[in-house]
Amino acid sequence: MSTYDDGHTVAGWTGCAVGAVGALVAGVGVTGWRPGIWLGLGAMVLAVLVTWVLHLAGWGKGPGPRPSGGRSWRSRDLAARGGHTGCLGCRLAGRRGVPAREGAAA
């Protein structure tokens, strides 16, 4: 199994599914059903928001590899409340993500 699992989370799969439906509806709009363009674009924006909210709720992951025990796409990240280090989504939500100090007790 690969150590990199970007997007293999509940947030990633849900966002991908909603975005794909939005692209399909926008494509139908381009071929003639004009409201479909706007509905599809709205669904794509909704996909971004749903993915972000699920990520902040712990159903996503931060950048980089996860520990081997948390690689299942259904595993919830309980440390997401404090934010992931180097994660743009967490920074946009005001979560800083403190890097782990080696050998130091908090």
Side-chain angles (χ1 to χ4, degrees):
M1 178 182 232
S2 175
T3 58
Y4 289 93
D5 55 350
D6 291 337
H8 295 266
T9 62
V10 172
W13 284 109
T14 304
C16 182
V18 174
V21 169
L24 178 68
V25 172
V28 170
V30 168
T31 62
W33 184 56
R34 293 293 173 209
I37 295 173
W38 299 109
L39 291 174
L41 290 174
M44 286 187 252
V45 169
L46 180 67
V48 170
L49 295 175
V50 165
T51 303
W52 187 42
V53 167
L54 285 172
H55 173 83
L56 295 176
W59 291 108
K61 67 177 235 26
R66 290 188 278 189
S68 61
R71 287 193 188 138
S72 169
W73 70 275
R74 288 173 263 149
S75 63
R76 189 165 186 190
D77 183 7
L78 301 177
R81 180 169 278 197
H84 300 109
T85 303
C87 178
L88 176 63
C90 290
R91 280 186 284 154
L92 288 173
R95 299 177 182 181
R96 299 271 182 221
V98 181
R101 288 187 258 170
E102 295 179 28

